[in-house]
Amino acid sequence: MSLAQFEGCLLGLALGDALGAPHEGGIVERLVWRLIGATVQGQMRWTDDTQMALDIAESLAVQGALDADDLARRFAASYRWSRGYGPGVARLLRRVARGADWREANRSVFPEGSFGNGGAMRAPVIGLYYAHRFAELADAARLSASITHAHPLGQEGAVLVASATALALGTRNPLEIVRAAAAHCALQPFVLRLRTAEQWLQEGSEPDASSVARHFGNGIAASTSCVTAVYIALRFMDRPFVDMQRFCVDVGGDVDTIGAMAGAVWGAANGVAALPQHQLAQLEQGGRLKAAAAALYAGVA
Ligand code: F2R
Ligand code: MG
Ligand code: MG
């Protein structure tokens, strides 16, 4: 476990997010992103995926522990429509900003809670923070997701992505990672997809992007995007980041989020120096991301 891996994870997440954002959503979302996808200085903007990951990292650094109330306040304060938040979470966070308790707000849009992938896309930070306390990781991932995602499927995605990130800090064996991460998952949509992912990784078979999308999904739900991302990160672990990113674009659908989760796991395994430096130089707020990674690392090293 090294600082370079923590930086690789956060910057890999942000890069996967920013590079995927132009490909996410329908025609309207893509047109909007063409207008607002760059800063005034011309740097690539990232979206809600990175903002919420930063909120967790900065909260952990200040509080020295996972404080759900502090996190809910930060999520609400950071909310900007221009970061492309999920529609349900946007409404929920506006309620929290007006004073609602997140414990009630998280069922105010969908009575059973959100099963979107918003709890999972920010979970790599939980993976970094709890890697050395692995027994506590699943509960922490669930708690961090539950602020906005009360649905068990939304939380299961967070557990999977946090586990895969933590494991990638310690081993480069894809099979070891997929098996150990799958051991934390009990819900059928995850278990079945993870079984296929394990089989493909074991066989060394390399289905094309449309086949990956068909088997694992490329949607905005946690159950149709988290296994997709973890599988892609593990399959491309020993290959260049740009090849993995191109594959995410080909898989299509929720490209920024699949790219963010895959980028985080890949970055945790390979470290910041392995990321494409010319693209990192074009990424907004790289200094803030590095500082957040350093503060997180200082908190666990
Ligand atoms: N918001 C976006 N992208 C906008 C374009 C998306 C496009 N229309 C598409 O569908 O592909 N991206 C950001 O949102 C995702 C994370 O979302 P999060 O934080 O989980 O938000 P939310 O609103 O809670 O859930 C997303 C949608 O999933 C459906 N849904 C969730 N729970 C549901 C439930 N219990 N019942 C019915 N539907 C449920 C709803 O459609 C939600 O709006 C990431 O992609 C991020 O990049
Ligand atoms: Mg996004
Ligand atoms: Mg997305």
Side-chain angles (χ1 to χ4, degrees), residues 8 18 28 45 49 59 87 122-123 151 163 207 216 245 277:
V28 176
R45 291 184 72 227
D49 307 51
S59 175
R122 59 194 192 230
H151 198 292
S163 305
F216 298 152
Q245 174 57 30
Q277 300 302 308

Side-chain angles (χ1 to χ4, degrees), residues 17 21 24 29 32-33 36 45-52 78-90 117-118 121 220 254 256-257:
D17 177 12
E24 192 201 23
E29 285 96 357
V32 170
W33 198 252
I36 64 168
R45 291 184 72 227
W46 30 254
T47 76
D48 55 335
D49 307 51
T50 305
Q51 180 59 63
M52 296 186 104
S78 298
Y79 170 76
R80 301 283 181 280
W81 77 267
S82 68
R83 293 284 183 200
Y85 284 69
V89 158
N117 53 19
M121 70 195 186
I220 204 167
D254 194 356
D256 71 327
T257 301

